[in-house]
Amino acid sequence: MMPGLVLGIALLQYFRMFGFTATWSVLLVAHLVVTLPYVARTMIAGLSRFDFTLIEAARTLGCTYAGSVLRVMVPALAPSFLISGLFSLLASFDNYPVSIFLTDVRSKTLPIRMLQYIEEAPDPTLAALSTLILSGTLALLLISDRLVGLHRMAGTAD
């Protein structure tokens, strides 16, 4: 794991070396680089627990390969998809140093605006925004519990 400051400076130099200056595209690629290890580890863990003979069984029952992957593998890996998405969302939202180096004056991400707001106008608005973010996170957790179940996300059985 590389410190965010070093990664932000390295990505800034890399993108400037190739003349890639579109702010939102650069941010997207940079946050993909940051979150890719979280997604890869979670998906590799989910794939290691998946029984690939289920795909062969679906194919013997008449499914095509793509159909068996969509009907068998994707639902079985739904908890891994959900957890990797949540990990990458949190890692991307929390990655302030990469965002500060790769944005320009006109386009700012929410964490950058929040930090600037703390420095400029310390009032309860930021506390209210933080409460909204926390309640959104809790709502997302409850929705994922209803859709997948926390016991499946944790990898334990009832």
Side-chain angles (χ1 to χ4, degrees):
M1 297 289 291
M2 199 178 308
L5 185 66
V6 174
L7 185 62
I9 292 172
L11 286 171
L12 175 67
Q13 289 179 345
Y14 178 76
F15 289 131
R16 296 295 182 241
M17 181 175 63
F18 290 110
F20 196 47
T21 59
T23 304
W24 293 109
S25 305
V26 167
L27 271 174
L28 178 68
V29 170
H31 283 273
L32 284 175
V33 166
V34 169
T35 60
L36 188 63
Y38 298 104
V39 173
R41 284 190 72 160
T42 306
M43 291 309 299
I44 288 170
L47 283 170
S48 69
R49 296 181 55 189
F50 181 71
D51 185 12
F52 286 95
T53 58
L54 294 174
I55 291 178
E56 294 173 17
R59 294 209 49 206
T60 58
L61 292 173
C63 275
T64 63
Y65 183 76
S68 63
V69 167
L70 286 175
R71 292 181 182 194
V72 175
M73 188 176 202
V74 170
L77 293 177
S80 298
F81 289 133
L82 182 65
I83 292 298
S84 64
L86 290 173
F87 278 159
S88 60
L89 175 76
L90 292 174
S92 178
F93 188 78
D94 190 41
N95 205 332
Y96 177 80
V98 170
S99 298
I100 195 72
F101 283 110
L102 299 175
T103 56
D104 57 4
V105 176
R106 291 165 291 181
S107 56
K108 302 281 185 192
T109 61
L110 183 62
I112 293 172
R113 287 192 188 255
M114 288 172 68
L115 186 63
Q116 286 176 346
Y117 195 76
I118 287 174
E119 294 170 355
E120 294 170 2
D123 64 2
T125 307
L126 195 59
L129 180 63
S130 299
T131 304
L132 284 174
I133 291 171
L134 181 63
S135 61
T137 304
L138 288 174
L140 189 62
L141 184 64
L142 290 174
I143 290 169
S144 64
D145 180 38
R146 293 285 182 204
L147 292 176
V148 177
L150 289 176
H151 64 279
R152 283 191 65 199
M153 288 191 295
T156 61
D158 286 325

